[in-house]
Amino acid sequence: MKTLLIFGVSAQHGTGYNVLQTVLTHYPDWRCLVLVRHADLAYQLTQQGVQCIVGDATDSEAVEQLCKTAGEQAIIVSTLGGTTGNYTAQRVIIDAAEKTGIQHMLLVTSLGCGETWSTLSLRAKQAFGQSVREKSLAEVWLQTSSLQYLILRPGGLLDGDATGQGQCYYQQEVHGFIRRRELAELIIRKIENQEWDNRAYSVIDPSINVER
């Protein structure tokens, strides 16, 4: 039985929420723990058999307690978004994982992070630059930690059903979109196949063509 410790579960359309629901639907024997900000969401998820702690990912005590509860064999999945505080929260999570003996983490950031910054248009840098820079800092903190990791950098996120066409690209310039459900299913496949190669991948669905 796998144990997933998921950060970033909030609104029902978000990637973290889709990851959680994918696990609950297709892998009911997996154990899921989440940190959420709101008690009403915690209650809803508890009814689905999810272990919840209400708190904030920048709270080192809450995050460390959740990591201890999850256990050393847990796999962390972080899909945290936001413009400010992303790096701080991811650093707290990574530090807590190391402190409590957790060894694996899958981090979701975005296209434009790290060495792909130069591929962003000026318009994109102006609109999302702060968020991308925060996420890039988080990537570096993970890459220089003791954890085995996988970093996924999705393109533009869309709602809708999964297509089964999502693709990962290593050290290639790509642009495009992917549906959150598709990304969630791809994340679970990576975990199931234990693809911990300490690399960062750009992720898009080439079958989707959306006017920019």
Side-chain angles (χ1 to χ4, degrees):
M1 179 181 71
K2 283 184 168 44
T3 296
L4 294 193
L5 177 48
I6 308 172
F7 294 91
V9 177
S10 54
Q12 293 189 4
H13 67 278
T15 300
Y17 186 87
N18 277 282
V19 169
L20 178 60
Q21 295 304 316
T22 298
V23 174
L24 294 176
T25 300
H26 299 291
Y27 301 90
D29 58 325
W30 289 17
R31 176 184 174 217
C32 294
L33 300 90
V34 302
L35 180 71
V36 297
R37 290 183 175 181
H38 304 293
D40 55 346
L41 178 58
Y43 176 78
Q44 171 196 328
L45 297 178
T46 299
Q47 299 305 300
Q48 294 183 276
V50 180
Q51 293 178 253
C52 297
I53 289 181
V54 178
D56 191 276
T58 58
D59 183 341
S60 58
E61 290 186 6
V63 173
E64 186 175 328
Q65 180 57 50
L66 193 56
C67 287
K68 288 180 179 177
T69 301
E72 294 182 1
Q73 300 304 312
I75 297 167
I76 293 176
V77 178
S78 181
T79 66
L80 290 171
T83 301
T84 59
N86 183 283
Y87 168 60
T88 300
Q90 304 286 19
R91 179 171 173 173
V92 166
I93 293 167
I94 294 163
D95 288 351
E98 289 188 300
K99 187 174 181 180
T100 57
I102 293 176
Q103 301 176 23
H104 297 92
M105 179 169 176
L106 190 151
L107 175 63
V108 179
T109 58
S110 63
L111 283 183
C113 286
E115 76 282 357
T116 65
W117 171 260
S118 62
T119 68
L120 290 182
S121 66
L122 178 59
R123 180 180 177 182
K125 289 178 181 177
Q126 291 173 338
F128 311 113
Q130 181 64 29
S131 175
V132 171
R133 293 172 74 187
E134 288 254 351
K135 292 175 181 178
S136 294
L137 290 171
E139 288 188 356
V140 172
W141 200 258
L142 178 58
Q143 289 166 334
T144 55
S145 75
S146 62
L147 302 180
Q148 291 186 298
Y149 65 86
L150 180 64
I151 296 172
L152 299 182
R153 299 167 172 164
L157 294 171
L158 304 171
D159 293 329
D161 294 334
T163 66
Q165 301 299 313
Q167 299 291 329
C168 293
Y169 301 84
Y170 180 61
Q171 294 184 340
Q172 298 180 57
E173 180 177 345
V174 295
H175 301 275
F177 300 84
I178 188 167
R179 291 175 179 165
R180 291 177 178 87
R181 290 182 186 174
E182 177 69 20
L183 177 59
E185 293 188 4
L186 191 151
I187 287 169
I188 298 306
R189 287 199 300 272
K190 293 289 186 183
I191 292 172
E192 188 177 30
N193 295 331
Q194 302 184 53
E195 297 183 30
W196 307 106
D197 58 7
N198 298 340
R199 290 182 174 181
Y201 293 89
S202 298
V203 186
I204 63 167
D205 183 340
S207 72
I208 296 176
N209 182 19
V210 177
E211 293 291 333
R212 299 194 196 186

